[in-house]
Structures are given as C-alpha cells and as structure tokens.
Amino acid sequence: MEEEETEAALQEAIQRKEKAQAAYAKGQEFTELEQWEQAIECYAEVIELDPQHSRAFFARGVAQGGSGEFRKAIDDLSQAITIDPDYHEAYRYRASAYGATGDYDAAINDFTEAIRIKPEDPTSYYSRAVKHTRQGNSKHALEDFSEAIRLKTDNPLAYLLRGYVYFDRGEEEKAKEDFAVARSMGLIR
C-alpha cells in the first residue's frame, strides 16, 4: 500500500511539472505577442502548480509591466528575487518598474544589485546612469555612462546622453567629442 501511494505521489508530481512547463511555454508565446493578460494567466497557473518557480514570477512581472501594472510587476519581481536572490534580470526589470513609478532611489538600488551580481553588464550601468541623470546627479551619471561605454563601445545612445551630461556641466569639449562619436555611429545627423 505504501509503495502504491509513493508511486501515485510521484506520478502526480510529474503531471504537475508537465502542466507547469506547458503553461510556462504558452505564457512565453503570449509574452512574445505582447498579449499581456493571457500571459499573466498562464504564469499564474505555473505559480499555482509550483509556488517556487522564480522564472514564472519573473515572467509574470515582465507581463505585468508590459500591461502598465508596475506595482504588480514589482511584487512579482520581488517574489522572484526572494526565491532566487541572485536573479540578475529580476533586479534589472524591477529597477525599471520602480523607475516607471518615479521611485528612482529604489531603481538605482536595484541596478546596483544587478551590477553586483553581473558587473560586466553594460545595460545595468547605462540604465542606472539614466536614473542618476533624472535625479540630477551628474557625477554618478558620468561614472555609469563611462563604464557602460567601456563595456560596450558601440552604444551611440550612451555617448549621446553622456554628452548631454557633460554639456549641462559646462564641459563643452567633452560633450562635442561624445556627440561626434554618436554622430559617427549614425545616431545624430
């Protein structure tokens, strides 16, 4: 009898995992089509089947953000981070959601955490620089734009925005240099 119960429990676990995988795959398809509500429903099904599925919380958070529900996105991305504290992408997306709500301090903190986890990611430096710019912190914005450029030299937008920061600081020659690089990459005509 005990062996039969164990076998039944194993079969049920396998079925739950297969259902979760299928719902996750369907959610990914809806996400690619930007059909946010359907994607959110699929990810909710995954979470119901497997409450420790950090990728489902992450994906639902992305879908929540896509639908403009930034607070819900923050909640789901926070849950993904609780399950997997080193989830780099979850920190980046939550930072963006915080930024969308105007909470630049929280956004900067999350980009900082993303950088701690993956220091070679130029996107986190670039995005954090944008938030520093929004806060009027040109010193930190310049540091982050410069690091983003060091890590990825072919980002014309980073040169352009760093140029604007230099210009605002009265460093016109440095601004002109950055604008020239952005222009040479086809960003400015």
Side-chain angles (χ1 to χ4, degrees):
M1 184 75 163
E2 194 174 300
E3 191 174 304
E4 289 174 5
E5 289 174 5
T6 302
E7 180 63 28
L10 179 60
Q11 288 304 316
E12 182 181 338
I14 291 170
Q15 287 176 348
R16 288 174 69 82
K17 184 172 183 160
E18 288 172 352
K19 278 183 172 179
Q21 288 173 336
Y24 185 83
K26 195 170 187 176
Q28 292 295 99
E29 291 173 16
F30 284 127
T31 297
E32 286 180 28
L33 297 170
E34 296 183 5
Q35 295 178 350
W36 305 122
E37 290 308 314
Q38 294 91 331
I40 290 166
E41 289 173 16
C42 289
Y43 298 131
E45 182 181 344
V46 176
I47 292 165
E48 186 177 317
L49 292 164
D50 181 1
Q52 293 300 306
H53 199 298
S54 63
R55 292 182 57 81
F57 279 105
F58 170 78
R60 189 171 72 176
V62 170
Q64 298 281 17
S67 71
E69 295 287 344
F70 299 112
R71 289 286 168 205
K72 290 180 180 178
I74 290 166
D75 291 344
D76 279 341
L77 294 163
S78 296
Q79 188 60 36
I81 291 166
T82 297
I83 295 166
D84 181 359
D86 289 330
Y87 201 154
H88 171 260
E89 289 295 313
Y91 281 105
R92 276 189 36 206
Y93 275 84
R94 189 174 72 176
S96 295
Y98 277 129
T101 68
D103 190 345
Y104 300 128
D105 288 333
I108 288 168
N109 288 339
D110 272 3
F111 283 126
T112 300
E113 197 58 26
I115 290 166
R116 181 194 63 77
I117 295 165
K118 193 173 178 185
E120 70 282 0
D121 176 30
T123 303
S124 294
Y125 285 100
Y126 171 85
S127 298
R128 188 172 71 175
V130 170
K131 300 307 180 245
H132 281 307
T133 302
R134 293 253 171 119
Q135 287 190 317
N137 188 336
S138 63
K139 177 183 181 286
H140 290 304
L142 285 175
E143 291 170 357
D144 282 348
F145 279 132
S146 295
E147 185 62 13
I149 290 167
R150 186 188 72 76
L151 292 168
K152 187 175 190 297
T153 59
D154 63 344
N155 183 349
L157 201 51
Y159 285 100
L160 178 67
L161 295 179
R162 187 176 71 175
Y164 284 133
V165 174
Y166 278 134
F167 187 80
D168 286 345
R169 291 171 57 105
E171 298 179 53
E172 292 180 18
E173 287 306 311
K174 289 181 179 179
K176 287 179 187 177
E177 289 173 19
D178 277 355
F179 294 151
V181 173
R183 184 176 300 111
S184 74
M185 293 180 179
L187 186 63
I188 304 173
R189 297 185 196 265

